[in-house]
Protein backbone atom coordinates (compact mmCIF):
# COMPACT_ATOMS: atom_id res chain seq x y z
CA UNK A 1 0.00 0.00 0.00
CA UNK A 2 2.94 2.33 0.62
CA UNK A 3 3.84 2.06 -3.06
CA UNK A 4 0.35 3.17 -4.09
CA UNK A 5 0.23 5.98 -1.54
CA UNK A 6 3.47 7.41 -2.91
CA UNK A 7 2.56 7.00 -6.57
CA UNK A 8 1.71 10.05 -8.64
CA UNK A 9 -2.05 10.44 -9.00
CA UNK A 10 -2.95 8.34 -5.98
CA UNK A 11 -5.18 9.40 -3.12
CA UNK A 12 -6.53 7.90 0.07
CA UNK A 13 -9.75 9.03 1.74
CA UNK A 14 -10.65 8.17 5.32
CA UNK A 15 -14.04 7.86 6.97
CA UNK A 16 -14.18 8.75 10.65
CA UNK A 17 -16.96 8.36 13.14
CA UNK A 18 -16.76 9.41 16.75
CA UNK A 19 -13.08 10.24 16.31
CA UNK A 20 -12.27 6.72 15.11
CA UNK A 21 -11.26 5.64 11.63
CA UNK A 22 -14.11 3.56 10.27
CA UNK A 23 -12.75 2.85 6.80
CA UNK A 24 -10.74 4.05 3.85
CA UNK A 25 -10.52 3.94 0.08
CA UNK A 26 -7.28 4.02 -1.88
CA UNK A 27 -7.46 5.03 -5.53
CA UNK A 28 -5.35 6.43 -8.33
CA UNK A 29 -5.93 8.37 -11.53
CA UNK A 30 -3.85 8.03 -14.68
CA UNK A 31 -4.47 9.95 -16.95
CA UNK A 32 -8.28 10.07 -17.16
CA UNK A 33 -9.17 6.65 -15.74
CA UNK A 34 -9.56 6.20 -12.02
CA UNK A 35 -8.64 2.90 -10.43
CA UNK A 36 -9.89 1.77 -7.04
CA UNK A 37 -7.06 -0.12 -5.39
CA UNK A 38 -8.94 -1.09 -2.23
CA UNK A 39 -11.96 -0.14 -0.16
CA UNK A 40 -12.13 -1.32 3.44
CA UNK A 41 -14.60 -0.62 6.22
CA UNK A 42 -13.89 -2.00 9.68
CA UNK A 43 -16.29 -4.75 10.66
CA UNK A 44 -17.97 -2.74 13.45
CA UNK A 45 -18.91 -0.01 10.95
CA UNK A 46 -20.19 -2.15 8.06
CA UNK A 47 -23.76 -1.93 6.82
CA UNK A 48 -23.96 1.77 7.76
CA UNK A 49 -23.35 3.26 4.30
CA UNK A 50 -19.71 4.16 4.95
CA UNK A 51 -18.44 2.16 1.97
CA UNK A 52 -20.93 3.93 -0.28
CA UNK A 53 -19.87 7.33 1.04
CA UNK A 54 -16.19 6.54 0.51
CA UNK A 55 -16.89 5.29 -3.01
CA UNK A 56 -18.86 8.42 -3.92
CA UNK A 57 -16.08 10.63 -2.54
CA UNK A 58 -13.42 8.74 -4.51
CA UNK A 59 -15.45 9.04 -7.72
CA UNK A 60 -15.95 12.75 -7.10
CA UNK A 61 -12.22 13.21 -6.52
CA UNK A 62 -11.37 11.33 -9.72
CA UNK A 63 -13.88 13.39 -11.69
CA UNK A 64 -12.52 16.64 -10.25
CA UNK A 65 -9.09 15.62 -11.57
CA UNK A 66 -10.48 14.93 -15.06
CA UNK A 67 -11.41 11.28 -14.63
CA UNK A 68 -14.00 9.98 -17.05
CA UNK A 69 -14.13 6.38 -15.91
CA UNK A 70 -13.46 4.32 -12.77
CA UNK A 71 -12.30 0.68 -12.75
CA UNK A 72 -11.57 -1.92 -10.08
CA UNK A 73 -10.91 -5.60 -9.56
CA UNK A 74 -12.86 -7.82 -7.20
CA UNK A 75 -12.81 -11.54 -6.47
CA UNK A 76 -15.40 -13.47 -8.45
CA UNK A 77 -16.42 -15.15 -5.18
CA UNK A 78 -16.90 -11.94 -3.15
CA UNK A 79 -20.67 -11.64 -3.55
CA UNK A 80 -21.04 -8.82 -1.02
CA UNK A 81 -18.47 -6.66 -2.83
CA UNK A 82 -19.93 -7.46 -6.24
CA UNK A 83 -23.37 -6.42 -4.97
CA UNK A 84 -21.94 -3.13 -3.64
CA UNK A 85 -20.20 -2.32 -6.92
CA UNK A 86 -23.29 -3.17 -8.99
CA UNK A 87 -25.48 -1.08 -6.68
CA UNK A 88 -23.28 1.89 -7.58
CA UNK A 89 -23.37 1.32 -11.33
CA UNK A 90 -20.25 -0.81 -11.89
CA UNK A 91 -20.48 -3.51 -14.51
CA UNK A 92 -18.29 -6.49 -15.26
CA UNK A 93 -15.86 -5.80 -18.11
CA UNK A 94 -13.73 -8.96 -18.12
CA UNK A 95 -12.71 -11.89 -15.93
CA UNK A 96 -9.01 -12.03 -15.05
CA UNK A 97 -7.89 -15.59 -14.35
CA UNK A 98 -5.62 -16.20 -11.34
CA UNK A 99 -5.58 -12.49 -10.41
CA UNK A 100 -5.41 -13.31 -6.69
CA UNK A 101 -3.32 -16.46 -7.17
CA UNK A 102 -3.87 -19.84 -8.73
CA UNK A 103 -7.57 -20.55 -9.14
CA UNK A 104 -8.64 -17.23 -7.61
CA UNK A 105 -10.12 -15.12 -10.40
CA UNK A 106 -11.23 -11.51 -10.42
CA UNK A 107 -13.78 -9.47 -12.27
CA UNK A 108 -12.58 -6.19 -13.67
CA UNK A 109 -15.52 -3.84 -13.28
CA UNK A 110 -15.97 -0.33 -14.59
CA UNK A 111 -18.20 2.68 -14.53
CA UNK A 112 -18.38 5.85 -16.57
CA UNK A 113 -18.26 8.93 -14.38
CA UNK A 114 -21.24 11.09 -15.33
CA UNK A 115 -21.23 14.82 -15.81
CA UNK A 116 -22.68 15.23 -12.31
CA UNK A 117 -19.51 13.61 -10.91
CA UNK A 118 -17.10 15.81 -12.86
CA UNK A 119 -16.32 19.04 -11.08
CA UNK A 120 -14.47 21.90 -12.75
CA UNK A 121 -11.89 23.61 -10.62
Amino acid sequence: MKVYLRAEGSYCLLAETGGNVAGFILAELAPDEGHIITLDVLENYRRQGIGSLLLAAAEKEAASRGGKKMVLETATTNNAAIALWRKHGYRQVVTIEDYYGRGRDAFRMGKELGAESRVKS
Side-chain angles (χ1 to χ4, degrees), residues 71-93:
V71 296
L72 59 93
E73 294 79 30
T74 193
T76 58
T77 57
N78 190 341
N79 294 328
I82 293 166
L84 174 74
W85 303 126
R86 286 186 176 153
K87 173 182 169 184
H88 292 285
Y90 287 80
R91 298 295 175 248
Q92 182 181 338
V93 177

Side-chain angles (χ1 to χ4, degrees), residues 35 72-78 82 85 92-109:
H35 181 218
L72 59 93
E73 294 79 30
T74 193
T76 58
T77 57
N78 190 341
I82 293 166
W85 303 126
Q92 182 181 338
V93 177
V94 68
T95 300
I96 305 169
E97 291 184 15
D98 302 326
Y99 184 82
Y100 293 106
R102 188 176 182 115
R104 297 179 62 212
D105 301 340
F107 290 136
R108 166 145 308 152
M109 300 181 81

Side-chain angles (χ1 to χ4, degrees), residues 13-15 23-25 39-41 49-59:
L13 306 172
L14 296 176
F24 71 96
I25 190 166
L39 168 65
D40 192 23
V41 176
I50 292 170
S52 294
L53 291 171
L54 284 165
L55 180 57
E59 290 174 352

